Amino acid sequence: MSIPAKDRERAQALRELLHHHNHRYYVLDAPEIADAEYDKLFRELQALEEQHPGLLSPDSPTQRVGGKVLEGFAKVRHRVPMLSIRTETDIEASGARNFDARVRRELGRKEGDPPVDYVAELKFDGLAISLRYEHGVLVQAATRGDGEVGEDVTQNIRTVGQIPLKLHGRDVPPVLEVRGEVYMRRDDFERLNEQQREKIAKGAKNEKTFVNPRNAAAGAVRQLDPAIARQRPLSFYAYGWGEIVGGPAFETHHEVLQALKGWGVPVSERVVVAHGADDLIAYHQAVGRDRDQLPFDIDGVVYKVNSLALQKQLGFVTREPRWAVAHKFPAQEQMTTVESIDVYVGRTGKLTPVARLQPVFVGGVTVTNATLHNEDEARRKDVRIGDTVVVRRAGDVIPEVVSVVPEKRRDGAEPFTMPRTCPVCGSAAVREEGEADYRCTGGLFCSAQRKHAILHFAQRRAMDIEGLGEKLVDQMVDANVIRTLPDLYRLGLQGLVALERMGEKSAQNLLAALEQSKSTTLPRFLYGLGIRHVGESTARDLARHFGKLDAIMDAGLEQLLEVPDVGPIVAESVHAFFQQPHNREVIEQLRACGVHWEESEPVAQAPKPLSGKTVVLTGTLPTLTRDEAKEMLEAAGAKVAGSVSRKTDYVVAGAEAGSKLDKARELGVAVLDEEGLRRLLAGTVA
């Protein structure tokens, strides 16, 4: 049965339109239409292809959904071998100079000759993949394998949104083999592991958390079931090519990368042309500084001679190109020994098992402690005292134990068990239904919680008690000078002077700060109480909605749920806090000590103009402090985050903005100056 011309033309138009929107969404991170509109177009194409199977083509966006479960992977022989490159073992800046010196020597360059031009790029910690396009359509994807023969993973690679099923633009070669790296972003990895932990907590069998983003990405690509692979959030960057037949003539490596980008293939914005060794060193140092803030893992940078003619002249040695080198950074995973497992008690009473480690240098710092998260994680990983373990540190993430090396375990090592009493105060430790964490029930009776509670109460964004720092709080709690928050306002000069390293002048300054802190605001006081799940923004919302503290204290769950952005978990936490008699007693004593604030009538809250928006502040603004800008944004409903990601809507940048501004530009996030911020707050920025 012939296919009507109008259906054929509509299907082709839909394919082109969906390819365009996929590129905008996955590669440029700048979508032009809402998800619902995209879904509508996608379903229309699906319906046409179901009605007329002859319309189905390998480059159709509907083919990303995954095919049948495979029995195994077919072998693919690479027409151009996927060779590895040598590694520069000197992780200091001199590693770049060593490579440049070798290249110049092999090219016969002398001192005083012009510098060699290089391409410098990131070395992604993922899985190398070859993508074969014929007449612009993706026909095959293969792993590196042994460099000569890899595995056909086409079905799984089709599920990666960043990888175009069809190239666009002019002069696309009839045959083009793109080489690149499939990887998993850190935020996607954390979300994936959180989902896995939830499944495990609900009793799901054969589920596990993943060791690191690289292993998670590699495991997804090598899934025999494409439907499972599609559930894993993968990304892709191209860094080179294999076979090219036809197409434009290129003179440099950088030209080819830019052509790939023009054809719709993702290429990192951190690729630069470097002129000589000094530029390579500067690149290595700059990336090293930014490494922790990158949204993905890298384990170094790569230098390549830019001129393709010089690459050919330099050739290969033992199947490695002389014209390229990988310059590593310090490892972010290392092996060490667990010397003990202690349990840390946090401000909210959360008990966290912490492995005390034989010191090891990981990711540029010396690590002595690593979190085991909770009892379930500690048991799943089966970490025991004396074990040899792999420790990981990436970005600002707290170091964690990734896995145990079982063959090095000593005889008689006993499994870890979470104590059922608080290791600090001896109160019962309980695990609430549906939660992974145990919590101490001691409250302010527990000195660990007491110290954290006092420091939280005194911090600048709460009661702003200048001079009340961690060491002083430790002294006062350990000496039983302070047992509860109101004791702060009962301190006397003589008692303070008696403390170690506390002179009369310092004591007078602290007493003055305490007196000044008595005049505060309701949002600050609420935040300072340390109610679980109540941050600064929620404290402001509660204060605006109810106007008076007593109204908040007496509110039922239904009333609390009427507050904008307060959900069931927060409402339950606030309600439970004020139902505790000892918490009400603390508040009454604080009032009796003179702590006060201005109260008002309840305010009907209009929708906030920036609700649902995420903003990052960086650099120094001309007239606003960071806190002032944050307060203005949060008052307008925005979430102010500390790092830039794909979820960021705006970055407000001032002088000396640094890596956050670079990352915003890399991801295509809108960047505003202070004037732009004020326009955003006024509602004149889209």
Side-chain angles (χ1 to χ4, degrees), residues 556-625:
L557 285 174
E558 290 186 2
Q559 292 171 291
L560 289 167
L561 286 169
E562 293 174 0
V563 180
D565 298 327
V566 169
I569 293 175
V570 176
E572 179 60 43
S573 181
V574 173
H575 185 258
F577 181 88
F578 288 119
Q579 290 302 301
Q580 294 293 324
H582 66 265
N583 288 333
R584 287 177 170 260
E585 177 63 24
V586 165
I587 291 168
E588 290 311 309
Q589 288 187 28
L590 286 168
R591 281 170 155 170
C593 290
V595 177
H596 63 280
W597 53 86
E598 185 176 338
E599 294 193 324
S600 61
E601 292 303 314
V603 176
Q605 301 206 26
K608 296 180 180 180
L610 297 183
S611 289
K613 300 294 185 183
T614 299
V615 183
V616 172
L617 298 166
T618 181
T620 304
L621 299 176
T623 66
L624 292 173
T625 66

Coordinates of all heavy atoms in Angstrom, one line a residue, residues 556-625:
G556 N -2.1 23.8 63.2 CA -2.2 22.4 62.8 C -1.6 22.1 61.5 O -1.1 23.0 60.8
L557 N -1.5 20.8 61.1 CA -0.9 20.4 59.9 C -1.6 21.1 58.7 O -0.9 21.6 57.8 CB -0.9 18.9 59.7 CG 0.1 18.1 60.6 CD1 -0.1 16.7 60.5 CD2 1.5 18.5 60.2
E558 N -2.9 21.1 58.7 CA -3.6 21.7 57.6 C -3.3 23.2 57.4 O -3.1 23.7 56.3 CB -5.1 21.5 57.7 CG -5.6 20.0 57.6 CD -7.1 19.9 57.6 OE1 -7.8 20.9 57.7 OE2 -7.5 18.7 57.6
Q559 N -3.2 23.9 58.5 CA -2.9 25.3 58.4 C -1.4 25.5 57.9 O -1.2 26.4 57.1 CB -3.0 26.0 59.8 CG -4.4 26.0 60.3 CD -4.5 26.5 61.7 OE1 -4.1 25.8 62.6 NE2 -5.0 27.7 61.9
L560 N -0.5 24.7 58.4 CA 0.9 24.8 57.9 C 1.0 24.5 56.4 O 1.8 25.1 55.7 CB 1.8 23.8 58.7 CG 2.0 24.2 60.2 CD1 2.6 23.1 60.9 CD2 2.9 25.5 60.3
L561 N 0.2 23.6 55.9 CA 0.2 23.2 54.5 C -0.3 24.3 53.6 O -0.1 24.3 52.4 CB -0.5 21.9 54.3 CG 0.1 20.6 54.8 CD1 -0.8 19.5 54.7 CD2 1.4 20.4 53.9
E562 N -1.0 25.3 54.2 CA -1.4 26.5 53.4 C -0.3 27.5 53.1 O -0.5 28.3 52.2 CB -2.5 27.2 54.2 CG -3.8 26.4 54.3 CD -4.8 27.1 55.2 OE1 -4.5 28.2 55.7 OE2 -5.9 26.5 55.4
V563 N 0.8 27.3 53.8 CA 2.0 28.2 53.5 C 2.6 27.8 52.2 O 2.9 26.7 51.9 CB 3.0 28.1 54.6 CG1 4.2 29.0 54.4 CG2 2.4 28.4 56.0
P564 N 2.9 28.8 51.3 CA 3.5 28.5 50.0 C 4.8 27.8 50.2 O 5.6 28.1 51.1 CB 3.7 29.9 49.4 CG 2.7 30.8 50.0 CD 2.5 30.2 51.4
D565 N 5.0 26.8 49.4 CA 6.3 26.0 49.4 C 6.5 25.1 50.6 O 7.6 24.6 50.8 CB 7.5 26.9 49.2 CG 7.5 27.7 47.8 OD1 6.9 27.1 46.9 OD2 7.9 28.8 47.8
V566 N 5.5 25.0 51.5 CA 5.6 24.1 52.6 C 4.8 22.8 52.3 O 3.6 22.9 52.1 CB 5.0 24.8 53.9 CG1 4.9 23.7 55.0 CG2 6.0 25.9 54.4
G567 N 5.5 21.7 52.2 CA 4.9 20.4 51.9 C 4.7 19.6 53.1 O 4.9 20.1 54.3
P568 N 4.2 18.4 53.0 CA 3.9 17.5 54.1 C 5.1 17.3 55.0 O 4.9 17.3 56.3 CB 3.4 16.2 53.5 CG 2.9 16.6 52.1 CD 3.8 17.8 51.7
I569 N 6.3 17.1 54.5 CA 7.4 16.8 55.3 C 7.8 18.0 56.2 O 8.0 17.8 57.4 CB 8.6 16.4 54.4 CG1 8.4 15.0 53.8 CG2 9.9 16.3 55.3 CD1 9.4 14.6 52.8
V570 N 7.9 19.2 55.6 CA 8.2 20.4 56.4 C 7.1 20.6 57.4 O 7.4 21.0 58.6 CB 8.4 21.6 55.4 CG1 8.6 22.8 56.2 CG2 9.5 21.3 54.5
A571 N 5.8 20.5 57.0 CA 4.7 20.8 57.9 C 4.8 19.9 59.1 O 4.6 20.3 60.2 CB 3.4 20.6 57.2
E572 N 5.0 18.6 58.9 CA 5.1 17.6 60.0 C 6.3 17.9 60.9 O 6.2 17.8 62.1 CB 5.3 16.2 59.4 CG 5.4 15.1 60.4 CD 4.2 15.0 61.3 OE1 3.1 15.1 60.8 OE2 4.4 14.9 62.6
S573 N 7.4 18.4 60.3 CA 8.6 18.7 61.1 C 8.3 19.9 62.0 O 8.6 19.9 63.2 CB 9.8 19.0 60.2 OG 10.9 19.3 61.0
V574 N 7.7 21.0 61.5 CA 7.4 22.2 62.2 C 6.4 21.8 63.3 O 6.5 22.3 64.5 CB 6.8 23.3 61.3 CG1 6.3 24.5 62.1 CG2 7.9 23.7 60.3
H575 N 5.3 21.1 63.0 CA 4.3 20.8 63.9 C 4.9 19.9 65.1 O 4.6 20.2 66.3 CB 3.2 20.0 63.2 CG 2.0 19.7 64.1 ND1 1.8 18.4 64.6 CD2 1.0 20.4 64.5 CE1 0.7 18.4 65.4 NE2 0.2 19.6 65.3
A576 N 5.7 18.9 64.7 CA 6.3 18.1 65.8 C 7.2 18.9 66.7 O 7.2 18.7 67.9 CB 7.1 16.9 65.1
F577 N 7.9 19.8 66.1 CA 8.9 20.6 67.0 C 8.1 21.4 68.0 O 8.5 21.4 69.2 CB 9.6 21.6 66.1 CG 10.6 22.5 66.8 CD1 11.9 22.1 67.0 CD2 10.3 23.7 67.3 CE1 12.8 22.9 67.7 CE2 11.1 24.5 68.0 CZ 12.4 24.1 68.2
F578 N 7.0 22.1 67.6 CA 6.3 22.9 68.6 C 5.4 22.1 69.5 O 4.8 22.6 70.4 CB 5.5 24.0 67.8 CG 6.4 25.1 67.2 CD1 6.5 25.3 65.9 CD2 7.2 25.8 68.1 CE1 7.3 26.3 65.3 CE2 8.1 26.8 67.5 CZ 8.1 27.0 66.2
Q579 N 5.2 20.8 69.2 CA 4.4 20.0 70.1 C 5.3 19.5 71.3 O 4.7 19.0 72.3 CB 3.9 18.8 69.3 CG 2.8 19.1 68.3 CD 1.6 19.8 69.0 OE1 0.9 19.3 69.9 NE2 1.3 21.0 68.5
Q580 N 6.6 19.6 71.2 CA 7.5 19.2 72.3 C 7.5 20.2 73.4 O 7.8 21.4 73.2 CB 8.9 19.0 71.7 CG 9.0 17.9 70.7 CD 8.8 16.5 71.4 OE1 9.1 16.3 72.5 NE2 8.1 15.6 70.6
P581 N 7.1 19.9 74.6 CA 7.0 20.8 75.7 C 8.4 21.5 76.0 O 8.4 22.7 76.3 CB 6.6 20.0 76.9 CG 5.8 18.8 76.3 CD 6.5 18.5 75.0
H582 N 9.5 20.7 75.9 CA 10.8 21.4 76.2 C 11.2 22.4 75.1 O 11.9 23.4 75.5 CB 11.9 20.3 76.3 CG 12.2 19.6 75.0 ND1 11.7 18.4 74.7 CD2 13.1 19.9 74.0 CE1 12.1 18.0 73.5 NE2 13.0 18.9 73.1
N583 N 10.7 22.3 73.9 CA 11.0 23.3 72.9 C 10.2 24.6 73.2 O 10.7 25.7 73.1 CB 10.6 22.8 71.5 CG 11.6 21.8 71.0 OD1 12.8 21.8 71.4 ND2 11.1 20.9 70.1
R584 N 8.9 24.4 73.6 CA 8.1 25.6 74.0 C 8.7 26.3 75.2 O 8.7 27.5 75.3 CB 6.7 25.2 74.3 CG 5.9 24.8 73.0 CD 4.5 24.3 73.3 NE 3.7 24.2 72.1 CZ 2.8 25.1 71.7 NH1 2.6 26.2 72.4 NH2 2.1 24.9 70.6
E585 N 9.2 25.5 76.2 CA 9.9 26.0 77.4 C 11.1 26.9 77.0 O 11.3 27.9 77.6 CB 10.2 24.9 78.3 CG 11.0 25.3 79.6 CD 10.1 26.3 80.5 OE1 8.9 26.2 80.4 OE2 10.7 27.0 81.2
V586 N 11.9 26.4 76.1 CA 13.1 27.1 75.6 C 12.7 28.5 75.0 O 13.3 29.5 75.3 CB 13.9 26.3 74.6 CG1 14.9 27.2 73.8 CG2 14.6 25.2 75.3
I587 N 11.6 28.5 74.2 CA 11.2 29.7 73.6 C 10.7 30.7 74.7 O 11.0 31.9 74.6 CB 10.0 29.4 72.6 CG1 10.7 28.7 71.4 CG2 9.4 30.7 72.1 CD1 9.6 28.0 70.4
E588 N 9.9 30.2 75.6 CA 9.4 31.1 76.7 C 10.6 31.7 77.5 O 10.5 32.9 77.9 CB 8.4 30.3 77.6 CG 7.1 30.0 76.9 CD 6.5 31.2 76.2 OE1 6.4 32.3 76.8 OE2 6.2 31.1 75.0
Q589 N 11.6 30.9 77.8 CA 12.7 31.4 78.5 C 13.5 32.4 77.7 O 14.0 33.4 78.3 CB 13.6 30.2 78.9 CG 13.1 29.3 80.0 CD 14.1 28.3 80.5 OE1 15.3 28.5 80.4 NE2 13.6 27.1 80.9
L590 N 13.6 32.2 76.4 CA 14.3 33.2 75.6 C 13.5 34.5 75.6 O 14.1 35.6 75.6 CB 14.4 32.7 74.1 CG 15.5 31.5 73.9 CD1 15.3 30.9 72.5 CD2 16.9 32.1 74.1
R591 N 12.2 34.4 75.5 CA 11.4 35.7 75.6 C 11.6 36.3 76.9 O 11.7 37.6 77.0 CB 9.9 35.3 75.4 CG 9.5 35.1 73.9 CD 8.1 34.5 73.8 NE 7.5 34.9 72.5 CZ 6.4 34.4 72.1 NH1 5.7 33.5 72.9 NH2 5.8 34.7 71.0
A592 N 11.7 35.5 78.0 CA 11.8 36.1 79.3 C 13.2 36.7 79.5 O 13.4 37.7 80.3 CB 11.7 35.0 80.4
C593 N 14.2 36.3 78.7 CA 15.5 36.9 78.7 C 15.6 38.2 77.9 O 16.7 38.8 77.9 CB 16.6 35.9 78.2 SG 16.9 34.5 79.3
G594 N 14.5 38.5 77.2 CA 14.5 39.8 76.5 C 14.6 39.6 75.0 O 14.6 40.7 74.3
V595 N 14.6 38.4 74.5 CA 14.7 38.3 73.0 C 13.3 38.6 72.5 O 12.3 38.1 72.9 CB 15.0 36.8 72.6 CG1 15.0 36.6 71.1 CG2 16.4 36.4 73.2
H596 N 13.3 39.5 71.5 CA 12.0 40.1 71.0 C 12.1 40.4 69.5 O 13.2 40.5 69.0 CB 11.6 41.3 71.8 CG 12.5 42.4 71.6 ND1 13.7 42.6 72.3 CD2 12.5 43.5 70.8 CE1 14.4 43.7 72.0 NE2 13.6 44.3 71.0
W597 N 11.0 40.6 68.9 CA 10.9 40.9 67.4 C 9.6 41.6 67.2 O 8.6 41.5 68.0 CB 11.1 39.6 66.6 CG 10.1 38.6 67.0 CD1 8.8 38.4 66.6 CD2 10.3 37.5 68.0 NE1 8.2 37.3 67.2 CE2 9.1 36.8 68.1 CE3 11.4 37.2 68.7 CZ2 9.0 35.7 68.9 CZ3 11.3 36.1 69.6 CH2 10.1 35.3 69.7
E598 N 9.5 42.2 66.1 CA 8.2 42.9 65.7 C 7.3 41.9 65.0 O 7.7 41.1 64.1 CB 8.5 44.1 64.8 CG 7.3 44.9 64.4 CD 7.6 46.1 63.5 OE1 8.8 46.5 63.5 OE2 6.7 46.6 62.9
E599 N 6.1 41.8 65.5 CA 5.1 40.9 64.9 C 4.1 41.7 64.1 O 4.0 42.9 64.2 CB 4.4 40.1 66.0 CG 5.4 39.1 66.7 CD 4.8 38.0 67.5 OE1 3.7 38.4 68.1 OE2 5.3 36.9 67.5
S600 N 3.4 41.0 63.3 CA 2.4 41.7 62.4 C 1.2 40.8 62.2 O 1.1 39.7 62.7 CB 3.1 42.0 61.0 OG 3.5 40.8 60.4
E601 N 0.3 41.3 61.4 CA -0.9 40.5 61.1 C -0.5 39.6 59.9 O 0.4 39.9 59.1 CB -2.1 41.4 60.6 CG -2.6 42.3 61.8 CD -3.1 41.4 62.9 OE1 -3.8 40.4 62.7 OE2 -2.7 41.7 64.1
P602 N -1.2 38.5 59.8 CA -0.9 37.5 58.6 C -1.0 38.3 57.3 O -1.9 39.1 57.1 CB -2.0 36.5 58.8 CG -2.4 36.5 60.2 CD -2.3 38.0 60.6
V603 N -0.1 37.9 56.4 CA -0.1 38.5 55.1 C -0.5 37.5 54.0 O 0.0 36.4 54.0 CB 1.3 39.0 54.7 CG1 1.4 39.6 53.3 CG2 1.8 40.1 55.8
A604 N -1.5 37.9 53.3 CA -1.9 37.0 52.1 C -0.8 37.0 51.1 O -0.5 38.1 50.6 CB -3.2 37.5 51.5
Q605 N -0.3 35.9 50.8 CA 0.9 35.8 49.9 C 0.5 35.7 48.5 O -0.1 34.7 48.1 CB 1.8 34.7 50.4 CG 2.3 34.9 51.8 CD 3.6 34.2 52.1 OE1 4.4 34.0 51.2 NE2 3.8 33.8 53.3
A606 N 0.9 36.7 47.7 CA 0.7 36.6 46.3 C 1.8 35.7 45.7 O 2.9 35.5 46.3 CB 0.9 38.0 45.7
P607 N 1.6 35.1 44.5 CA 2.6 34.3 43.9 C 3.9 35.0 43.7 O 3.9 36.2 43.3 CB 2.0 33.9 42.5 CG 0.5 34.1 42.7 CD 0.4 35.2 43.7
K608 N 5.0 34.4 44.0 CA 6.3 35.1 43.9 C 6.8 35.0 42.5 O 6.7 34.0 41.8 CB 7.3 34.4 44.9 CG 6.9 34.5 46.3 CD 7.9 33.8 47.2 CE 7.6 33.9 48.7 NZ 8.5 33.2 49.6
P609 N 7.3 36.2 42.0 CA 7.7 36.2 40.6 C 8.8 35.3 40.2 O 8.8 34.9 39.0 CB 8.1 37.7 40.4 CG 8.5 38.2 41.8 CD 7.6 37.4 42.7
L610 N 9.7 34.9 41.1 CA 10.8 34.0 40.7 C 10.6 32.6 41.3 O 11.6 31.9 41.3 CB 12.1 34.6 41.1 CG 12.5 36.0 40.5 CD1 13.9 36.4 41.0 CD2 12.5 35.8 39.0
S611 N 9.4 32.2 41.7 CA 9.2 30.9 42.2 C 9.6 29.9 41.1 O 9.3 30.0 39.9 CB 7.7 30.7 42.5 OG 7.4 31.4 43.7
G612 N 10.4 28.8 41.5 CA 10.8 27.8 40.6 C 12.1 28.1 39.9 O 12.6 27.3 39.2
K613 N 12.6 29.3 40.1 CA 13.9 29.7 39.4 C 15.1 29.5 40.3 O 15.0 29.7 41.5 CB 13.8 31.2 39.0 CG 12.7 31.6 38.0 CD 12.9 30.9 36.7 CE 11.8 31.3 35.7 NZ 11.9 30.6 34.4
T614 N 16.2 29.1 39.7 CA 17.4 28.8 40.5 C 18.5 29.9 40.0 O 18.7 30.0 38.8 CB 18.0 27.4 40.3 OG1 17.0 26.5 40.7 CG2 19.3 27.2 41.0
V615 N 19.1 30.6 40.9 CA 20.0 31.6 40.6 C 21.3 31.4 41.4 O 21.3 30.9 42.5 CB 19.5 33.0 41.0 CG1 20.4 34.1 40.6 CG2 18.1 33.3 40.4
V616 N 22.4 31.6 40.7 CA 23.8 31.5 41.4 C 24.4 32.9 41.4 O 24.4 33.6 40.4 CB 24.7 30.5 40.6 CG1 26.1 30.5 41.1 CG2 24.1 29.1 40.7
L617 N 25.0 33.3 42.5 CA 25.7 34.5 42.7 C 27.2 34.3 42.6 O 27.7 33.3 43.3 CB 25.3 35.2 44.0 CG 23.8 35.6 44.1 CD1 23.5 35.9 45.6 CD2 23.5 36.8 43.3
T618 N 27.9 35.1 41.9 CA 29.4 34.9 41.9 C 30.0 36.3 41.7 O 29.5 37.2 41.0 CB 29.8 34.0 40.8 OG1 31.2 33.8 40.8 CG2 29.4 34.4 39.4
G619 N 31.2 36.5 42.3 CA 31.9 37.7 42.1 C 31.4 38.8 43.0 O 30.5 38.6 43.9
T620 N 31.9 40.0 42.9 CA 31.6 41.1 43.8 C 30.7 42.1 43.0 O 31.1 42.7 41.9 CB 32.8 41.8 44.3 OG1 33.7 40.9 44.9 CG2 32.5 43.0 45.2
L621 N 29.5 42.4 43.5 CA 28.6 43.3 42.8 C 28.9 44.7 43.2 O 29.5 45.0 44.3 CB 27.2 43.0 43.2 CG 26.7 41.6 42.8 CD1 25.2 41.4 43.2 CD2 26.7 41.4 41.2
P622 N 28.6 45.7 42.4 CA 29.0 47.1 42.7 C 28.4 47.7 44.0 O 29.1 48.4 44.7 CB 28.5 47.9 41.4 CG 28.4 46.9 40.4 CD 28.0 45.6 41.0
T623 N 27.1 47.5 44.2 CA 26.5 48.1 45.4 C 25.9 47.2 46.4 O 25.5 47.5 47.5 CB 25.4 49.1 44.9 OG1 24.4 48.4 44.3 CG2 26.0 50.1 43.9
L624 N 25.7 45.9 46.0 CA 25.0 44.9 46.8 C 26.0 43.9 47.4 O 26.9 43.5 46.7 CB 23.9 44.2 46.0 CG 22.7 44.9 45.6 CD1 21.8 44.0 44.7 CD2 21.9 45.4 46.8
T625 N 25.8 43.6 48.7 CA 26.6 42.5 49.2 C 26.0 41.2 48.8 O 24.8 41.2 48.3 CB 26.6 42.5 50.8 OG1 25.3 42.3 51.2 CG2 27.1 43.9 51.3

